Each structure stands twice: as structure tokens, then as C-alpha cells.
Amino acid sequence: MDRRNFLKKGATAAAVSTIAPQIIGGNEANAANTSVEKRGELVAVMGDSPSVMLTKAIEELGGITKFVKVGQKIVIKPNIGWAKEPEMAANTNPEVVGALVKLCKDAGASEVLVFDHTCNEWNSCYEKSGIKEATEANGGKMVPGNNEKYYKEVDLPKGVSIKSTKIHEAIINCDAWINLPVLKHHGGAKMSLSMKNSMGIIWDRKVFHKDGLQQCIADLATYEKKPILNIIDAYRAMTQNGPQGKGVEDTLVTKALFASADPVAVDTAAVKFFGQIKDMRLEDVKHISLAEKHQLGTQDLSSVNVKRVKL
């Protein structure tokens, strides 16, 4: 990347850090007006390292013990689809994965499993992404997702395009799971966020692309065992050429993180944030509105208790 483009990207990042917190609405974390009753909670944190932003977001949501109970088996599902280093932003930042594993273990989880049905060779993805090292250093365990034997058929009775699919046994057998995607552009789905990241828990992704990707993503989100929390890592965003990118020039350090139990609200907030960096309309990411039609959450962020934190 030449100096001119580097400085241009730096200026963009500075502008995003100033503007983006306002576009999703809500009050600052320490604001006095907390009496207005709104549906759900969404936290947007900006301005620090992945682990610090994660810790602050969980704190603002009520603490990790609100979600993880002593003795539970927890699954964390990051994006680990590509054999790419962290600076490529093709995968979830390993620092935020490691920090979440530690929080779960500190809360008394009996086991914390981490996996993805990767696109590239799974060992290379786990290693190059840095997620294997970060997970194991914090007491978690990586499990493979590369063989159909790990997946079991489940029904999706509320689905429109798909009525059943094979889901990884780690999700089926766990007490609770947390969805932890990275914020990035996607050629097919337009954006890869929390609901798109759930495609990594299934075996047959070809069906999704054949039967209408946007509707299938929304249909998968109706699966009865929903994530207890969706955390979008936007420390470094992939702004173009997703889902795997061509080079570091396709990324931008934006130092943000979004978290909510509502996948529609958190994905909506992330798209609005991304729209300050690149042209991206919420209506183009159609699986979000389709999921809202499934009554899985809301795009109306004015109806959500939004907490914004600038570190």
C-alpha cells in the first residue's frame, strides 16, 4: 500500500471513530436517562483493543454470569473459515476469542469448545488465524468441523426455503453457545455478520447458495437452539473483496465491537456502522429483514436499549 492510500485509510478510520457511535442511536453508558423502557439490549463499544472492548461490552450487558452458568458446556463459534493471518480480517480476531474463552472459564464453565466448518483446510485455518493458540492458552478446546460425521439432522419447521439441515454436534450437545463473527464484506450475502456466521455450524452450505442464500440464512436463524449472545468483532473490518479478501488493503482498523442477544438488531447496527466506511444499504443485506419477518429481532434500533461506550 502506498503512503497516500495509507493516510487516506487512516483518515477514514479517524472519521469512523468519531461518527459511527451516533448512527446506531441510544445513550452513552453513563447517561442518566435509564428509565425509558425499551426492548432488549445492544452494546456498541469503540476505541480500544479487542479484549478490552469485549470485557466492557459484557460488563454493560450485565456480566458474563448473566449468560454462562457454573458447570455449563459452552460453545464459541467464531469465523475461522480461511487460512489467513489476523491482519487480513478474514477471521475473527484471536484476541477477542481468547478473551471470551477466559471469561467463560472464569464464570465456571466446565468446558469451552471452539470450532468452525472451515472453507480452507481446517488445521491451517485454526493455526493461521491464531485462534487455536488463543483458545488453548485460555483453557478452551478446539474441535474439528471437517467431517459430516460430526453433524446431525435437525428440523427447521419455520423455514421458508429450507426445512431441515445438518448441524454440528457441538452446538446440539452444548448447554449454550455464543456467536462471534468478524465484520466483513461478503460477495454473496453482501455482509458477513452474526446470522451469516451461523453457516459455519452446518454441513451442507451448497444448498444455501442453490436455494436462495439470503432466505436460507434467515431460515437457519430460526433453529430452536439460538445463541445466547451475538458478538461482532469489528476491531479490524474487511471492507471489500469478502469473504476472504485479497490483501491487507481490503481491511480497515475501526476498533469497534457490537453485542446483543438479538441477532437482527446487532446485525443492523453493524451494517449501519459499516455504511460509514463503504457504501452499504441495510436493505441490500436482505437476510436481516427476512429474519425480522421470522420475528427473530428488530431492525428498529429506536425500540432497543442501546448503550454506546467510547473508550
Side-chain angles (χ1 to χ4, degrees):
M1 186 190 312
D2 61 34
R3 178 175 172 79
R4 183 176 180 181
N5 285 335
F6 177 82
L7 292 175
K8 183 179 179 182
K9 280 184 174 286
T12 303
V16 167
S17 68
T18 302
I19 297 169
Q22 280 70 45
I23 74 169
I24 65 167
N27 298 315
E28 297 293 347
N30 59 355
N33 182 20
T34 58
S35 61
V36 178
E37 192 168 330
K38 293 187 176 183
R39 180 171 57 177
E41 284 189 326
L42 166 67
V43 175
V45 184
M46 293 194 68
D48 214 310
S49 69
S51 58
V52 169
M53 290 191 293
L54 172 74
T55 301
K56 186 61 178 177
I58 297 295
E59 176 187 315
E60 292 294 332
L61 286 168
I64 191 63
T65 55
K66 179 179 176 180
F67 303 97
V68 177
K69 308 305 179 185
V70 174
Q72 285 188 327
K73 179 185 287 188
I74 302 296
V75 170
I76 297 172
K77 168 55 183 73
N79 191 315
I80 330 175
W82 307 97
K84 303 276 187 177
E85 292 78 7
E87 59 267 25
M88 291 292 295
N91 305 304
T92 306
N93 190 290
E95 183 181 331
V96 78
V97 178
L100 184 56
V101 170
K102 185 177 187 303
L103 282 175
C104 292
K105 292 293 288 185
D106 289 348
S110 61
E111 195 171 20
V112 180
L113 306 179
V114 177
F115 87 97
D116 194 6
H117 181 192
T118 64
C119 299
N120 295 149
E121 194 276 325
W122 70 284
N123 278 304
S124 297
C125 293
Y126 284 14
E127 292 281 354
K128 276 196 168 184
S129 66
I131 289 174
K132 182 177 186 290
E133 181 180 1
T135 294
E136 293 177 350
N138 287 282
K141 178 183 177 183
M142 300 297 298
V143 295
N146 64 315
N147 194 302
E148 191 172 0
K149 70 181 181 180
Y150 301 125
Y151 298 79
K152 310 298 181 186
E153 191 82 20
V154 302
D155 291 329
L156 301 171
K158 296 179 181 178
V160 174
S161 293
I162 53 169
K163 294 293 186 179
S164 66
T165 191
K166 288 187 175 182
I167 287 181
H168 197 288
E169 62 187 5
I171 297 292
I172 294 172
N173 296 333
C174 72
D175 293 302
W177 67 286
I178 300 172
N179 199 5
L180 184 57
V182 63
L183 174 65
K184 61 179 179 176
H185 168 261
H186 191 280
K190 301 302 181 183
M191 294 291 299
S192 183
L193 302 164
S194 66
M195 286 184 282
K196 172 65 177 67
N197 190 52
S198 293
M199 284 182 67
I201 72 173
I202 68 169
W203 176 249
D204 188 1
R205 292 186 289 243
K206 292 180 181 178
V207 171
F208 278 53
H209 290 275
K210 183 182 69 176
D211 292 346
L213 180 60
Q214 300 282 10
Q215 183 64 62
C216 287
I217 292 171
D219 289 351
L220 178 59
T222 67
Y223 175 50
E224 62 180 1
K225 193 169 190 177
K226 295 172 177 57
I228 54 172
L229 196 54
N230 302 281
I231 303 169
I232 299 178
D233 159 37
Y235 179 80
R236 184 191 292 269
M238 180 181 287
T239 60
Q240 59 191 11
N241 295 319
Q244 58 177 315
K246 296 180 178 179
V248 177
E249 63 273 13
D250 291 333
T251 74
L252 183 66
V253 175
T254 50
K255 292 187 178 181
L257 182 142
F258 303 90
S260 179
D262 182 335
V264 177
V266 77
D267 282 5
T268 296
V271 172
K272 288 178 175 288
F273 174 82
F274 188 88
Q276 298 296 289
I277 307 166
K278 299 280 285 189
D279 290 335
M280 182 60 66
R281 301 183 307 165
L282 182 61
E283 54 265 36
D284 291 336
V285 191
K286 295 180 181 178
H287 63 265
I288 297 178
S289 61
L290 293 170
E292 186 177 45
K293 288 181 180 179
H294 278 310
Q295 300 183 329
L296 299 175
T298 182
Q299 295 181 93
D300 179 12
L301 298 185
S302 67
S303 71
V304 178
N305 180 18
V306 180
K307 299 180 180 180
R308 295 182 287 110
V309 181
K310 182 73 188 306
L311 299 174

